[in-house]
Amino acid sequence: MTIRVLLVDDQPLLRTGFRMILEAEADLVVVGEAGDGQQALEQVRALQPDVVLMDIRMPRMDGVEATRRIAGPGRDGPVKVLVLTTFDLDEYVVEALRAGASGFLLKDVPAEELVQAIRVVADGAAMLAPSITRRLLDMYATRLPSGDETPSPALTTLTEREMEVLRLVARGLSNAEIAAELFVSETTVKTHVGHVLTKLGLRDRVQAAVFAYESGLVRPGAL
């Protein structure tokens, strides 16, 4: 299956570099480019890409708002959005994830990781390295609940084991690491993660991690 990609960045040189990398792959095709969030919306409607590589800081409309309008809650069959960030400079990555992004990449990501990330996201999974999940949420801990709040009522729908899996997802553990921690198989972990996402109405483990912090289930910085 060919994966249709839209490149969104206000720097033409970066778009050119990404295009060269992606078009060298037989299963990826760049269907268009946009220099800001408003153009991205127009291109998504016109070109129907499978995945949007989305910069955050752009003129007219930033990547967070564009992501919300493309992949946010209530969207019917939303396009997958993979956010591009310089990480140390951008302050809006958590908002992008809340807005519906399926993950994020650093702009200096190696070519093979960029390609793999697009494939993973197009397949319906989230692309956020476990170690980055933890670092990201801890970095923005002051913008998330402290953990002293009453847990969200939605958590009552989860079994004790599902709650345990959600805590480990929020800590940034991979399925293999969770399996080792709980002494179960990876298949079992995947099943539990799937149940958590379904019960909480979440799309992927990235949103699950953010939910765990926002609901008070996990305290930012806690082990």
Side-chain angles (χ1 to χ4, degrees):
M1 182 184 72
T2 299
I3 301 171
R4 297 163 55 81
V5 182
L6 174 67
L7 304 178
V8 183
D9 197 294
D10 62 343
Q11 299 183 46
L13 187 59
L14 278 178
R15 297 201 305 268
T16 298
F18 288 136
R19 179 182 281 273
M20 291 176 63
I21 292 170
L22 302 186
E23 291 191 336
E25 303 295 322
D27 60 334
L28 303 181
V29 58
V30 176
V31 295
E33 300 181 14
D36 59 53
Q38 187 60 50
Q39 289 181 0
L41 298 182
E42 296 166 0
Q43 293 285 60
V44 166
R45 285 192 292 265
L47 303 173
Q48 296 296 303
D50 300 305
V51 177
V52 177
L53 286 186
M54 180 76 75
D55 187 21
I56 287 184
R57 295 189 171 187
M58 298 180 293
R60 292 213 296 169
M61 181 187 293
D62 65 26
V64 174
E65 181 58 28
T67 296
R68 184 174 294 110
R69 297 193 188 189
I70 292 171
R75 297 295 184 269
D76 184 20
V79 176
K80 304 296 191 304
V81 176
L82 195 56
V83 172
L84 300 170
T85 175
T86 52
F87 190 71
D88 290 332
L89 298 178
D90 290 326
E91 301 174 353
Y92 306 109
V93 177
V94 168
E95 275 77 2
L97 297 178
R98 288 185 183 130
S102 292
F104 77 92
L105 294 173
L106 304 183
K107 286 191 175 181
D108 60 355
V109 64
E112 61 273 15
E113 291 185 23
L114 172 63
V115 169
Q116 180 59 21
I118 291 172
R119 290 170 178 153
V120 168
V121 168
D123 194 43
M127 187 61 203
L128 192 65
S131 60
I132 297 295
T133 305
R134 177 68 183 280
R135 181 181 172 192
L136 172 67
L137 292 172
D138 285 350
M139 172 172 285
Y140 293 98
T142 57
R143 306 176 66 180
L144 296 175
S146 65
D148 296 328
E149 295 80 2
T150 302
S152 168
L155 292 173
T156 62
T157 64
L158 303 182
T159 66
E160 196 58 43
R161 178 47 64 95
E162 288 165 354
M163 293 263 281
E164 197 171 9
V165 169
L166 178 56
R167 289 190 186 96
L168 296 176
V169 167
R171 282 174 49 191
L173 273 65
S174 66
N175 284 346
E177 291 168 333
I178 294 174
E181 182 92 5
L182 300 180
F183 302 101
V184 298
S185 69
E186 281 192 61
T187 299
T188 298
V189 172
K190 290 179 182 178
T191 298
H192 286 314
V193 171
H195 289 164
V196 168
L197 298 181
T198 299
K199 289 181 178 181
L200 298 180
L202 304 173
R203 190 185 59 250
D204 54 43
R205 64 192 300 122
V206 176
Q207 289 191 346
V210 173
F211 175 87
Y213 279 76
E214 292 185 320
S215 66
L217 179 64
V218 178
R219 181 190 300 274
L223 294 177

